[in-house]
Structure formats: structure tokens, C-alpha cells
Amino acid sequence: MSGDDELGRAYRECARVTRSQARNFSYGIRLLRPDRRAALCAVYAVARRIDDIGDGDLPAATKLARLDQIRAALHRLPDAGTDPVLVALADAAARLPIPLAALDELVDGCVADVRGTRYDTFSELVGYCRCVAGSIGRLSLGVFDLRASADRSTAGELADTLGIALQLTNILRDIVEDRGIGRIYLPRHDLDRFGCGLEVGADGGFTDPPDRLAALVRWQAQRAERYYQSGLRLLPLLDRRSAACVAAMAGIYHRLLARMVADPMAVTRRRMSLPGWEKAYVAARAMTRSAP
């Protein structure tokens, strides 16, 4: 098999992973030019692999060993062996300014998950979000085209901030699911402030008084909103297709957050998501708004 054939197969595998796993991000990724789309699929496929290790059913010790292994493999790039996902990532990083060191932060965040790390303060939680999602923002920025007048350092800070906004939204959306596997991300200080413990009763629901829990969720959602307002200032720094990609991905999560503010207890009744038609609408609107 020729090198070009191997590389094509590698990128096709990353695209397959993205189509099957990126239920929200894929709507934005498809708005990029083909070469940039392929590169972002490679970034996503590697991030998905890291997340799957942390969220899988293996014993904690095995998870930690596998996270060490993938960290070592990433450090060996551009030597990717025959692993198609790493082959694609190595090629993308050779073509574009993708800060591969940010993947170390993603691994660090997954290690914290496996160890069951809890956060006392909101500042500590933001640090975790910066590892697992701000890192993805910075990696993605390496794929995007910046406008000629844009400062890459400023754009990096905004990409990091927007990633934090998305992760805070994820944490609220998945509060029941995470509690079911023993994970609590909301800071202890905030739980104490609102008189909540996130203890689970015999019926599988939280035992906290609904009014207190609703106030807690709304408080955290309003905090996340401030990160959106700051992070979305990234859009004018990007070229049209990159801005549309980010607007679509962030727009889907931003809409979820708005629904949490309107109905905080919805996160305890079901896993919130937008229907496919609405995600497609957000993506189409993002592309239209980004048009010159």
C-alpha cells in the first residue's frame, strides 16, 4: 500500500469516528474546507479515544495504564506507527500549527476523572474544564484559518474560554449520568451554598429539595453564560468557514444552556439534547451569518 493510500485510509477512519461519535460537533466540522475538516476529524478522533478510556468500564488501574500509553504514543509523534488515527494526526500537525502539547492536558483531565477528583471551588472546576475542553479549543484553533489582522495569542485565550463554556454546559447536562458513575463535578462550596448534596434516593432521583437544586443549576448556568459571552468574541478573528464551524458547535450547546436556565430541573428528568433538525438549523444559520 502506498503512503498516500495509507494516509487516505487514516483520514477516512477519523471521519468515520467523527460521524458516529460527534453528535453535536459534527454539524460544525462539516462546514470546514475538506482539508481542514479532515484535520479536525483527526483531532477529534484522538480526543475521543482518550475520553473513551477515561469513561470506559475497565478497572481504574487499567485505565491509568492505558492513558499513560496513549500519552507516550502522542509524545512519539510524528512516529505514529500503523495506527490510522495517529497517522492522520501526525500529518495534520505537520501541515498546520496544531499545539499537540494540549493533548497532555486532555490526558491529565481524564486521569483526574479516573481518580474521582472532586473540586472544592469554582476556580478548581474551571482548571479541570481548561484541561478537558479548553485544550480542545486550542487544538481546534490550530486547524482554523485566522483573519490576517487577528492575534493568535488572543484567539487562543478566547478558544480556551469557549471550551470552558461548553464543558460547563456538559457538566450540567450530564449531572444525573455522572452521579450514576460516582462523579460529582459541581464544586463543594457551591453545593454547600445551595444546601445540596446530590445524594440519590431509592427512586434513582436526587433527594435535594427541587427548589434548591433548581437554584444551583441556574446559578451554574449563568456562570457558564459569562464564558460564552467572552469566548464567542473569537468568531470575528476567524475566516468565514472557521467562524461558521465554531458558531455551529457553540450554538448547539448555547441553546441547551438557555433551556437549562428556563427549566433547571429538566436536567434531572432526561438527558437534554436538541433534535437533529434544530442542530441542522443552527449550522445553516451559522454559515449564513458568516457569509461575507
Side-chain angles (χ1 to χ4, degrees):
M1 177 177 290
S2 73
D4 286 345
D5 287 342
E6 182 180 8
L7 188 58
R9 185 183 66 177
Y11 276 118
R12 286 193 294 274
E13 172 60 15
C14 293
R16 183 197 65 78
V17 171
T18 303
R19 284 194 306 271
S20 63
Q21 300 295 325
R23 288 172 292 185
N24 291 324
F25 287 164
S26 63
Y27 285 86
I29 292 174
R30 69 182 63 172
L31 301 179
L32 294 171
R33 293 199 328 254
D35 60 325
R36 302 302 172 111
R37 185 188 315 143
L40 196 53
C41 285
V43 170
Y44 178 84
V46 173
R48 179 78 268 163
R49 181 177 294 182
I50 295 169
D51 281 345
D52 285 347
I53 293 172
D55 293 340
D57 298 326
L58 296 171
T62 304
K63 290 182 180 181
L64 292 174
R66 293 198 174 183
L67 288 170
D68 283 342
Q69 290 169 1
I70 195 167
R71 190 196 299 270
L74 290 167
H75 287 178
R76 288 194 295 269
L77 293 179
D79 178 9
T82 59
D83 185 315
V85 171
L86 296 184
V87 166
L89 180 65
D91 179 76
R95 294 187 290 110
L96 299 166
I98 299 173
L100 293 181
L103 287 167
D104 261 332
E105 297 176 57
L106 179 57
V107 174
D108 289 341
C110 287
V111 167
D113 284 342
V114 173
R115 290 176 174 166
T117 302
R118 291 284 308 275
Y119 305 98
D120 288 328
T121 67
F122 184 68
S123 177
E124 291 176 0
L125 177 61
V126 167
Y128 164 78
C129 293
R130 183 165 281 113
C131 280
V132 298
S135 60
I136 302 301
R138 283 174 269 124
L139 287 159
S140 300
L141 185 65
V143 174
F144 298 148
D145 284 317
L146 292 181
R147 296 191 182 277
S149 59
D151 176 72
R152 184 164 289 275
S153 176
T154 299
E157 293 174 5
L158 295 174
D160 188 273
T161 298
L162 191 55
I164 292 169
L166 269 60
Q167 186 62 26
L168 290 172
T169 305
N170 266 340
I171 287 170
L172 290 176
R173 181 195 63 185
D174 298 340
I175 190 172
V176 173
E177 182 180 333
D178 287 334
R179 188 65 183 90
I181 57 175
R183 294 179 184 174
I184 298 177
Y185 291 100
L186 296 183
R188 285 190 176 94
H189 289 182
D190 293 339
L191 293 173
D192 291 344
R193 173 177 179 167
F194 289 93
C196 294
L198 300 186
E199 297 300 328
V200 178
D203 63 352
F206 292 128
T207 59
D208 298 308
D211 59 329
R212 295 182 185 177
L213 189 56
L216 171 65
V217 171
R218 187 176 285 115
W219 169 262
Q220 297 296 342
Q222 290 169 343
R223 276 176 157 172
E225 176 62 26
R226 292 195 287 273
Y227 279 86
Y228 278 106
Q229 293 305 317
S230 179
L232 286 170
R233 290 190 288 119
L234 172 65
L235 297 182
L237 305 184
L238 303 174
D239 82 303
R240 182 175 70 90
R241 282 187 173 270
S242 298
C245 173
V246 173
M249 293 189 293
I252 290 169
Y253 281 88
H254 203 187
R255 282 190 171 221
L256 284 176
L257 187 74
R259 293 183 184 186
M260 294 176 198
V261 172
D263 182 10
M265 292 303 291
V267 299
T268 68
R269 297 192 294 268
R270 63 189 183 281
R271 192 177 194 272
M272 297 181 69
S273 64
L274 300 184
W277 69 264
E278 190 169 357
K279 294 177 184 178
Y281 167 77
V282 172
R285 189 164 177 256
M287 194 66 187
T288 301
R289 286 195 163 191
S290 298

